[in-house]
Amino acid sequence: MPARFVRKLEKFGRLSKAERQVIIDASQNTRKIAARKSILHEDENAHTSCLILSGLACRYKIFEDGARQIVDFLVPGDFCEGDANQPEYHLGTLSQCVIAYLDNDVLADIMDKYPRISRNLWRASKAEAAVLREWLVNIGRRNADKRVAYLICELCTRLDGSDADVPGGCALPVSQIELADATALSTVHINRVLSRLREKRLVTLQRRSIIIKDLPRLKAHAQFQDVYLQLPKSA
Amino acid sequence: MPARFVRKLEKFGRLSKAERQVIIDASQNTRKIAARKSILHEDENAHTSCLILSGLACRYKIFEDGARQIVDFLVPGDFCEGDANQPEYHLGTLSQCVIAYLDNDVLADIMDKYPRISRNLWRASKAEAAVLREWLVNIGRRNADKRVAYLICELCTRLDGSDADVPGGCALPVSQIELADATALSTVHINRVLSRLREKRLVTLQRRSIIIKDLPRLKAHAQFQDVYLQLPKSA
DNA sequence: CGAAAGGTTGAAACTTCTCAAGCAGGGTGG
DNA sequence: CCACCCTGCTTGAGAAGTTTCAACCTTTCG
């Protein structure tokens, strides 16, 4: 595995480095997936887990009318799997991703062999729940401007360091449509919100990506506190 | 422990009955808590877990201006704990509750002794995340009428059987203010939504509680699907 | 070169919120 | 026992935020 993947994984794992390595070693295959593709095929959904090695992915729900709600972003180091109990939810890539796949049976064996893995998967899952709660509050109680700024801060923080091109900030491979799907706003309104953020020189826009050059300033503007992300203290 | 607690626990546990029993046996103490009280004192937050034996509780975030967002309900059988990484979040009761408390150190010992417990806590946590995703979608994408109906359906389903007074339905010990806090709507608007539901004879209102006599009809109205709750198939 | 996808802008409509006032019930102290 | 108060519920009217619709522009890609 290329060194840069490992570097990324160390920064933001919800599992420890050693635990991720166990999963990577047991992985049956690693695939490179293009942007905007499904991560799990229909038939894999119920019995396959995966570990994001690079790129940006998300979990989303599709409604009958085609509307979409993104409910979580997945960054390098995140462990995820399909859920047969949420059949309308899917995992998909936003940028090109490299993903390690693992059959759930193999995962069960690993958990038998390394009891700490299941305990730490529990911890990781609790961390995921903390992020979900924060999204809930964000969508439920913050107005459009703060909501968008807050979400950008979260994503940028979780991706921190994985973007060599923008030191101290990052380029998010997210279109305005996708940002609307994640914040539960219309694309038209997202566009107006981003225009205001651009006027304040907090973000720069490019087709299909959002560039943040001064993350600390955006965090101050969004009143963003990152405790809930449970980052390593050294960061 | 009274038999009715056990009966309730069997219906809706996210942990299996046996696992809950292990936790109950290890519990240092069980307390009866009045309605609208905090479940964990400030100093317990970081090192105490609990298991709801009866009653209805919730997790919520308090904002500086006093506003509140309820992010989850806790029903009998649910396992929960404080989270030092989300200092603005709290656990509180809505009705009178009986709760078993457990020190996290003791929980760690249990997990060493019964490896399956940690694996199933992981499963339980994933189930909790599924509920959170559904709340996110509910608040993000449904209009006030559907949102309220949907949430009532979820809560009623999770509480199913614990209300002997309303066979086939239930009485939710939730005020309009609390429902507003959970759905991210204003109390004024909740009142108007509930008036419409009452006109359609889908709910009956009492001071500080909402009574559903015909849950199947309300579910049809809200287009509520309960797969995500992962109920036992026998139900 | 044309088509498709993403972004931008304006105007009107709609949902929900806020403010404000009043009502109803339950509990408490005199 | 009554008066009062506090909390929760109800209703109206205006304001605010967000969506929808529609048109057009820009970039990318085949």
Side-chain angles (χ1 to χ4, degrees), chain A residues 43-229:
Chain A
D43 58 326
E44 294 172 325
N45 207 39
H47 63 86
T48 311
S49 300
C50 39
L51 184 64
I52 312 290
L53 299 182
S54 75
L56 181 64
C58 66
R59 192 188 296 268
Y60 56 91
K61 171 163 184 167
I62 290 279
F63 292 80
E64 290 162 9
D65 65 359
R68 179 166 88 147
Q69 174 69 46
I70 293 176
V71 295
D72 198 7
F73 288 120
L74 300 166
V75 304
D78 280 345
F79 181 82
C80 64
E81 59 189 313
D83 186 344
N85 293 115
Q86 294 203 295
E88 289 152 332
Y89 288 74
H90 305 274
L91 294 167
T93 58
L94 291 168
S95 68
Q96 179 180 279
C97 289
V98 177
I99 296 171
Y101 289 83
L102 192 65
D103 199 278
N104 284 350
D105 294 339
V106 177
L107 181 64
D109 291 342
I110 292 179
M111 288 192 292
D112 286 337
K113 200 168 161 190
Y114 307 91
R116 272 197 198 152
I117 290 259
S118 50
R119 193 186 296 192
N120 284 325
L121 280 172
W122 174 47
R123 291 235 171 83
S125 178
K126 289 199 295 178
E128 188 185 334
V131 173
L132 280 167
R133 286 187 204 111
E134 205 62 29
W135 277 51
L136 192 54
V137 165
N138 196 35
I139 287 180
R141 295 293 178 191
R142 274 189 265 265
N143 66 22
D145 284 55
K146 283 195 178 173
R147 197 188 304 180
V148 171
Y150 200 94
L151 187 69
I152 291 176
C153 284
E154 183 197 285
L155 185 49
C156 220
T157 304
R158 287 171 67 191
L159 283 169
D160 179 37
S162 66
D163 193 339
D165 298 337
V166 187
C170 60
L172 306 178
V174 173
S175 72
Q176 296 188 12
I177 297 169
E178 287 154 353
L179 194 54
D181 288 345
T183 51
L185 293 165
S186 67
T187 53
V188 174
H189 205 58
I190 281 284
N191 183 272
R192 297 193 226 267
V193 168
L194 285 179
S195 299
R196 287 194 285 270
L197 286 178
R198 184 168 45 181
E199 272 172 24
K200 291 175 187 157
R201 315 247 175 247
L202 290 164
V203 303
T204 314
L205 301 181
Q206 272 184 16
R207 188 182 176 75
R208 294 211 38 203
S209 66
I210 297 161
I211 294 139
I212 296 90
K213 285 183 179 146
D214 187 352
L215 182 56
R217 221 175 114 237
L218 186 62
K219 282 187 179 176
H221 178 263
Q223 298 172 283
F224 179 82
Q225 302 288 329
D226 63 15
V227 214
Y228 73 98
L229 290 177

Side-chain angles (χ1 to χ4, degrees), chain B residues 36 176-177 188 191-192 198 207-208:
Chain B
R36 309 186 163 202
Q176 296 189 14
I177 297 169
V188 173
N191 183 271
R192 297 193 224 266
R198 183 168 46 182
R207 188 183 174 75
R208 294 209 39 201

Side-chain angles (χ1 to χ4, degrees), chain B residues 10 14 81 118 179:
Chain B
E10 298 209 23
R14 289 171 184 178
E81 59 188 315
S118 50
L179 193 56

